[in-house]
Amino acid sequence: MRADFYMMSEGTGGDDDVGVKLDTRTKTKRPPLYKVLILNDDYTPMEFVVHVLERFFGMNHAQAFELMLTVHKKGIAVVGVFSFEIAETKVAQVMDFAQRHQHPLQCTMEKE
Ligand code: TYC
């Protein structure tokens, strides 16, 4: 910016550019989260479910075993909470893995 222009525009004095600042913040929404659930059934071996929880949900053996028992007793449990795309991928991975091993294990997702 040239100095003379700067001085002219600043030097005219007065409150001529005082105004109300409108809210220009862009509304940001946190992306929705999705619960991934596994369901109990009478046929999938307990060890297989434990393996699934270790392999796809990063649980250690003790955590995986405990959660498997929760599903076995209660019928269903949340195994993780993720963004839509990650949840979708986890469900697909578990369903594919169960199918390839011919176990009827069911895995679903729902909006939190
Ligand atoms: N109920 C199964 C059995 O007794 C074990 C099982 C646990 C299956 C959790 C599915 O999501 C499940 N072999």
PDB file of all heavy atoms in Angstrom, residues 38-47 49 67-73 75 105-106, ligand 1:
ATOM      1  N   ILE A  38     -22.370 -55.912  18.035  1.00  0.00           N
ATOM      2  CA  ILE A  38     -22.421 -57.312  17.628  1.00  0.00           C
ATOM      3  C   ILE A  38     -23.530 -58.016  18.404  1.00  0.00           C
ATOM      4  O   ILE A  38     -23.863 -57.645  19.533  1.00  0.00           O
ATOM      5  CB  ILE A  38     -21.072 -58.067  17.752  1.00  0.00           C
ATOM      6  CG1 ILE A  38     -20.561 -58.067  19.173  1.00  0.00           C
ATOM      7  CG2 ILE A  38     -20.047 -57.540  16.778  1.00  0.00           C
ATOM      8  CD1 ILE A  38     -19.407 -59.043  19.339  1.00  0.00           C
ATOM      9  N   LEU A  39     -24.098 -58.991  17.742  1.00  0.00           N
ATOM     10  CA  LEU A  39     -25.262 -59.694  18.286  1.00  0.00           C
ATOM     11  C   LEU A  39     -24.900 -61.131  18.652  1.00  0.00           C
ATOM     12  O   LEU A  39     -24.067 -61.762  17.976  1.00  0.00           O
ATOM     13  CB  LEU A  39     -26.389 -59.693  17.249  1.00  0.00           C
ATOM     14  CG  LEU A  39     -27.155 -58.380  17.074  1.00  0.00           C
ATOM     15  CD1 LEU A  39     -26.337 -57.383  16.273  1.00  0.00           C
ATOM     16  CD2 LEU A  39     -28.483 -58.630  16.384  1.00  0.00           C
ATOM     17  N   ASN A  40     -25.551 -61.611  19.671  1.00  0.00           N
ATOM     18  CA  ASN A  40     -25.358 -63.009  20.056  1.00  0.00           C
ATOM     19  C   ASN A  40     -26.077 -63.948  19.081  1.00  0.00           C
ATOM     20  O   ASN A  40     -27.031 -63.547  18.395  1.00  0.00           O
ATOM     21  CB  ASN A  40     -25.910 -63.244  21.460  1.00  0.00           C
ATOM     22  CG  ASN A  40     -25.570 -64.621  21.991  1.00  0.00           C
ATOM     23  OD1 ASN A  40     -24.488 -65.134  21.730  1.00  0.00           O
ATOM     24  ND2 ASN A  40     -26.484 -65.225  22.729  1.00  0.00           N
ATOM     25  N   ASP A  41     -25.600 -65.142  18.987  1.00  0.00           N
ATOM     26  CA  ASP A  41     -26.308 -66.221  18.286  1.00  0.00           C
ATOM     27  C   ASP A  41     -25.882 -67.517  18.958  1.00  0.00           C
ATOM     28  O   ASP A  41     -25.010 -67.513  19.828  1.00  0.00           O
ATOM     29  CB  ASP A  41     -25.963 -66.219  16.776  1.00  0.00           C
ATOM     30  CG  ASP A  41     -24.503 -66.557  16.525  1.00  0.00           C
ATOM     31  OD1 ASP A  41     -24.115 -67.737  16.698  1.00  0.00           O
ATOM     32  OD2 ASP A  41     -23.726 -65.646  16.177  1.00  0.00           O
ATOM     33  N   ASP A  42     -26.531 -68.613  18.567  1.00  0.00           N
ATOM     34  CA  ASP A  42     -26.277 -69.890  19.263  1.00  0.00           C
ATOM     35  C   ASP A  42     -25.134 -70.704  18.653  1.00  0.00           C
ATOM     36  O   ASP A  42     -24.781 -71.759  19.192  1.00  0.00           O
ATOM     37  CB  ASP A  42     -27.544 -70.765  19.241  1.00  0.00           C
ATOM     38  CG  ASP A  42     -28.666 -70.174  20.090  1.00  0.00           C
ATOM     39  OD1 ASP A  42     -28.353 -69.358  21.000  1.00  0.00           O
ATOM     40  OD2 ASP A  42     -29.837 -70.528  19.846  1.00  0.00           O
ATOM     41  N   TYR A  43     -24.578 -70.243  17.541  1.00  0.00           N
ATOM     42  CA  TYR A  43     -23.653 -71.115  16.793  1.00  0.00           C
ATOM     43  C   TYR A  43     -22.221 -70.612  16.669  1.00  0.00           C
ATOM     44  O   TYR A  43     -21.291 -71.429  16.579  1.00  0.00           O
ATOM     45  CB  TYR A  43     -24.212 -71.363  15.377  1.00  0.00           C
ATOM     46  CG  TYR A  43     -25.612 -71.911  15.407  1.00  0.00           C
ATOM     47  CD1 TYR A  43     -26.710 -71.089  15.152  1.00  0.00           C
ATOM     48  CD2 TYR A  43     -25.853 -73.257  15.722  1.00  0.00           C
ATOM     49  CE1 TYR A  43     -28.012 -71.586  15.196  1.00  0.00           C
ATOM     50  CE2 TYR A  43     -27.133 -73.759  15.771  1.00  0.00           C
ATOM     51  CZ  TYR A  43     -28.220 -72.923  15.509  1.00  0.00           C
ATOM     52  OH  TYR A  43     -29.489 -73.414  15.557  1.00  0.00           O
ATOM     53  N   THR A  44     -22.031 -69.309  16.612  1.00  0.00           N
ATOM     54  CA  THR A  44     -20.667 -68.792  16.449  1.00  0.00           C
ATOM     55  C   THR A  44     -19.840 -69.148  17.687  1.00  0.00           C
ATOM     56  O   THR A  44     -20.267 -68.881  18.813  1.00  0.00           O
ATOM     57  CB  THR A  44     -20.683 -67.255  16.253  1.00  0.00           C
ATOM     58  OG1 THR A  44     -21.526 -66.943  15.152  1.00  0.00           O
ATOM     59  CG2 THR A  44     -19.277 -66.726  16.000  1.00  0.00           C
ATOM     60  N   PRO A  45     -18.682 -69.774  17.499  1.00  0.00           N
ATOM     61  CA  PRO A  45     -17.856 -70.137  18.664  1.00  0.00           C
ATOM     62  C   PRO A  45     -17.378 -68.894  19.427  1.00  0.00           C
ATOM     63  O   PRO A  45     -17.060 -67.870  18.818  1.00  0.00           O
ATOM     64  CB  PRO A  45     -16.660 -70.870  18.040  1.00  0.00           C
ATOM     65  CG  PRO A  45     -17.111 -71.286  16.677  1.00  0.00           C
ATOM     66  CD  PRO A  45     -18.087 -70.244  16.232  1.00  0.00           C
ATOM     67  N   MET A  46     -17.328 -69.018  20.731  1.00  0.00           N
ATOM     68  CA  MET A  46     -16.868 -67.907  21.573  1.00  0.00           C
ATOM     69  C   MET A  46     -15.489 -67.410  21.148  1.00  0.00           C
ATOM     70  O   MET A  46     -15.234 -66.208  21.102  1.00  0.00           O
ATOM     71  CB  MET A  46     -16.836 -68.339  23.040  1.00  0.00           C
ATOM     72  CG  MET A  46     -18.213 -68.521  23.641  1.00  0.00           C
ATOM     73  SD  MET A  46     -18.087 -68.902  25.395  1.00  0.00           S
ATOM     74  CE  MET A  46     -19.818 -68.799  25.872  1.00  0.00           C
ATOM     75  N   GLU A  47     -14.575 -68.361  20.847  1.00  0.00           N
ATOM     76  CA  GLU A  47     -13.204 -67.978  20.482  1.00  0.00           C
ATOM     77  C   GLU A  47     -13.180 -67.164  19.191  1.00  0.00           C
ATOM     78  O   GLU A  47     -12.307 -66.305  19.008  1.00  0.00           O
ATOM     79  CB  GLU A  47     -12.304 -69.210  20.283  1.00  0.00           C
ATOM     80  CG  GLU A  47     -12.466 -70.325  21.313  1.00  0.00           C
ATOM     81  CD  GLU A  47     -13.639 -71.249  20.970  1.00  0.00           C
ATOM     82  OE1 GLU A  47     -13.512 -72.022  20.006  1.00  0.00           O
ATOM     83  OE2 GLU A  47     -14.672 -71.182  21.672  1.00  0.00           O
ATOM     84  N   VAL A  49     -15.514 -65.046  18.190  1.00  0.00           N
ATOM     85  CA  VAL A  49     -15.947 -63.676  18.526  1.00  0.00           C
ATOM     86  C   VAL A  49     -14.804 -62.923  19.209  1.00  0.00           C
ATOM     87  O   VAL A  49     -14.539 -61.754  18.897  1.00  0.00           O
ATOM     88  CB  VAL A  49     -17.209 -63.699  19.419  1.00  0.00           C
ATOM     89  CG1 VAL A  49     -17.641 -62.283  19.795  1.00  0.00           C
ATOM     90  CG2 VAL A  49     -18.347 -64.436  18.717  1.00  0.00           C
ATOM     91  N   LEU A  67     -16.017 -58.675  26.703  1.00  0.00           N
ATOM     92  CA  LEU A  67     -17.099 -58.129  25.865  1.00  0.00           C
ATOM     93  C   LEU A  67     -17.864 -59.250  25.160  1.00  0.00           C
ATOM     94  O   LEU A  67     -19.092 -59.185  25.026  1.00  0.00           O
ATOM     95  CB  LEU A  67     -16.519 -57.130  24.860  1.00  0.00           C
ATOM     96  CG  LEU A  67     -17.532 -56.248  24.120  1.00  0.00           C
ATOM     97  CD1 LEU A  67     -18.533 -55.610  25.083  1.00  0.00           C
ATOM     98  CD2 LEU A  67     -16.813 -55.168  23.335  1.00  0.00           C
ATOM     99  N   MET A  68     -17.142 -60.289  24.728  1.00  0.00           N
ATOM    100  CA  MET A  68     -17.807 -61.443  24.114  1.00  0.00           C
ATOM    101  C   MET A  68     -18.809 -62.051  25.103  1.00  0.00           C
ATOM    102  O   MET A  68     -19.942 -62.382  24.737  1.00  0.00           O
ATOM    103  CB  MET A  68     -16.751 -62.484  23.693  1.00  0.00           C
ATOM    104  CG  MET A  68     -17.309 -63.755  23.086  1.00  0.00           C
ATOM    105  SD  MET A  68     -17.958 -64.947  24.294  1.00  0.00           S
ATOM    106  CE  MET A  68     -16.470 -65.344  25.203  1.00  0.00           C
ATOM    107  N   LEU A  69     -18.394 -62.165  26.375  1.00  0.00           N
ATOM    108  CA  LEU A  69     -19.284 -62.733  27.400  1.00  0.00           C
ATOM    109  C   LEU A  69     -20.500 -61.843  27.638  1.00  0.00           C
ATOM    110  O   LEU A  69     -21.612 -62.333  27.869  1.00  0.00           O
ATOM    111  CB  LEU A  69     -18.530 -62.929  28.723  1.00  0.00           C
ATOM    112  CG  LEU A  69     -17.790 -64.247  28.915  1.00  0.00           C
ATOM    113  CD1 LEU A  69     -17.270 -64.352  30.351  1.00  0.00           C
ATOM    114  CD2 LEU A  69     -18.680 -65.465  28.589  1.00  0.00           C
ATOM    115  N   THR A  70     -20.294 -60.523  27.573  1.00  0.00           N
ATOM    116  CA  THR A  70     -21.410 -59.574  27.708  1.00  0.00           C
ATOM    117  C   THR A  70     -22.439 -59.816  26.603  1.00  0.00           C
ATOM    118  O   THR A  70     -23.646 -59.872  26.863  1.00  0.00           O
ATOM    119  CB  THR A  70     -20.901 -58.111  27.643  1.00  0.00           C
ATOM    120  OG1 THR A  70     -19.988 -57.900  28.713  1.00  0.00           O
ATOM    121  CG2 THR A  70     -22.042 -57.116  27.745  1.00  0.00           C
ATOM    122  N   VAL A  71     -21.946 -59.964  25.363  1.00  0.00           N
ATOM    123  CA  VAL A  71     -22.860 -60.213  24.239  1.00  0.00           C
ATOM    124  C   VAL A  71     -23.556 -61.566  24.424  1.00  0.00           C
ATOM    125  O   VAL A  71     -24.768 -61.694  24.212  1.00  0.00           O
ATOM    126  CB  VAL A  71     -22.106 -60.184  22.888  1.00  0.00           C
ATOM    127  CG1 VAL A  71     -23.070 -60.458  21.737  1.00  0.00           C
ATOM    128  CG2 VAL A  71     -21.408 -58.850  22.693  1.00  0.00           C
ATOM    129  N   HIS A  72     -22.782 -62.555  24.832  1.00  0.00           N
ATOM    130  CA  HIS A  72     -23.327 -63.901  25.043  1.00  0.00           C
ATOM    131  C   HIS A  72     -24.469 -63.870  26.066  1.00  0.00           C
ATOM    132  O   HIS A  72     -25.493 -64.544  25.895  1.00  0.00           O
ATOM    133  CB  HIS A  72     -22.197 -64.827  25.515  1.00  0.00           C
ATOM    134  CG  HIS A  72     -22.637 -66.217  25.848  1.00  0.00           C
ATOM    135  ND1 HIS A  72     -23.040 -67.125  24.886  1.00  0.00           N
ATOM    136  CD2 HIS A  72     -22.716 -66.867  27.041  1.00  0.00           C
ATOM    137  CE1 HIS A  72     -23.359 -68.269  25.475  1.00  0.00           C
ATOM    138  NE2 HIS A  72     -23.178 -68.140  26.778  1.00  0.00           N
ATOM    139  N   LYS A  73     -24.318 -63.094  27.129  1.00  0.00           N
ATOM    140  CA  LYS A  73     -25.327 -63.051  28.200  1.00  0.00           C
ATOM    141  C   LYS A  73     -26.458 -62.080  27.913  1.00  0.00           C
ATOM    142  O   LYS A  73     -27.620 -62.367  28.225  1.00  0.00           O
ATOM    143  CB  LYS A  73     -24.650 -62.642  29.525  1.00  0.00           C
ATOM    144  CG  LYS A  73     -23.754 -63.753  30.105  1.00  0.00           C
ATOM    145  CD  LYS A  73     -23.274 -63.395  31.501  1.00  0.00           C
ATOM    146  CE  LYS A  73     -21.781 -63.158  31.519  1.00  0.00           C
ATOM    147  NZ  LYS A  73     -21.248 -62.736  32.815  1.00  0.00           N
ATOM    148  N   GLY A  75     -27.087 -60.467  24.807  1.00  0.00           N
ATOM    149  CA  GLY A  75     -27.667 -60.536  23.467  1.00  0.00           C
ATOM    150  C   GLY A  75     -27.073 -59.559  22.480  1.00  0.00           C
ATOM    151  O   GLY A  75     -27.105 -59.796  21.270  1.00  0.00           O
ATOM    152  N   LEU A 105     -22.485 -64.973  12.792  1.00  0.00           N
ATOM    153  CA  LEU A 105     -22.276 -63.753  13.573  1.00  0.00           C
ATOM    154  C   LEU A 105     -22.803 -62.519  12.825  1.00  0.00           C
ATOM    155  O   LEU A 105     -22.523 -62.335  11.639  1.00  0.00           O
ATOM    156  CB  LEU A 105     -20.774 -63.581  13.856  1.00  0.00           C
ATOM    157  CG  LEU A 105     -20.366 -62.345  14.662  1.00  0.00           C
ATOM    158  CD1 LEU A 105     -20.926 -62.412  16.077  1.00  0.00           C
ATOM    159  CD2 LEU A 105     -18.846 -62.221  14.696  1.00  0.00           C
ATOM    160  N   GLN A 106     -23.555 -61.694  13.551  1.00  0.00           N
ATOM    161  CA  GLN A 106     -24.128 -60.474  12.963  1.00  0.00           C
ATOM    162  C   GLN A 106     -23.494 -59.237  13.592  1.00  0.00           C
ATOM    163  O   GLN A 106     -23.299 -59.172  14.814  1.00  0.00           O
ATOM    164  CB  GLN A 106     -25.640 -60.433  13.197  1.00  0.00           C
ATOM    165  CG  GLN A 106     -26.407 -61.517  12.444  1.00  0.00           C
ATOM    166  CD  GLN A 106     -26.344 -61.344  10.935  1.00  0.00           C
ATOM    167  OE1 GLN A 106     -26.646 -60.277  10.402  1.00  0.00           O
ATOM    168  NE2 GLN A 106     -25.918 -62.404  10.238  1.00  0.00           N
TER     169      GLN A 106
HETATM  170  N1  TYC B   1     -23.501 -67.638  22.049  1.00  0.00           N
HETATM  171  C1  TYC B   1     -22.325 -68.152  21.380  1.00  0.00           C
HETATM  172  C2  TYC B   1     -21.999 -69.543  21.918  1.00  0.00           C
HETATM  173  O1  TYC B   1     -22.484 -69.905  22.967  1.00  0.00           O
HETATM  174  C3  TYC B   1     -21.117 -67.248  21.579  1.00  0.00           C
HETATM  175  C4  TYC B   1     -21.305 -65.901  20.980  1.00  0.00           C
HETATM  176  C5  TYC B   1     -20.946 -64.765  21.704  1.00  0.00           C
HETATM  177  C6  TYC B   1     -21.787 -65.763  19.684  1.00  0.00           C
HETATM  178  C7  TYC B   1     -21.093 -63.488  21.152  1.00  0.00           C
HETATM  179  C8  TYC B   1     -21.944 -64.467  19.134  1.00  0.00           C
HETATM  180  O2  TYC B   1     -21.711 -62.103  19.316  1.00  0.00           O
HETATM  181  C9  TYC B   1     -21.592 -63.361  19.857  1.00  0.00           C
HETATM  182  N2  TYC B   1     -21.160 -70.283  21.195  1.00  0.00           N
END
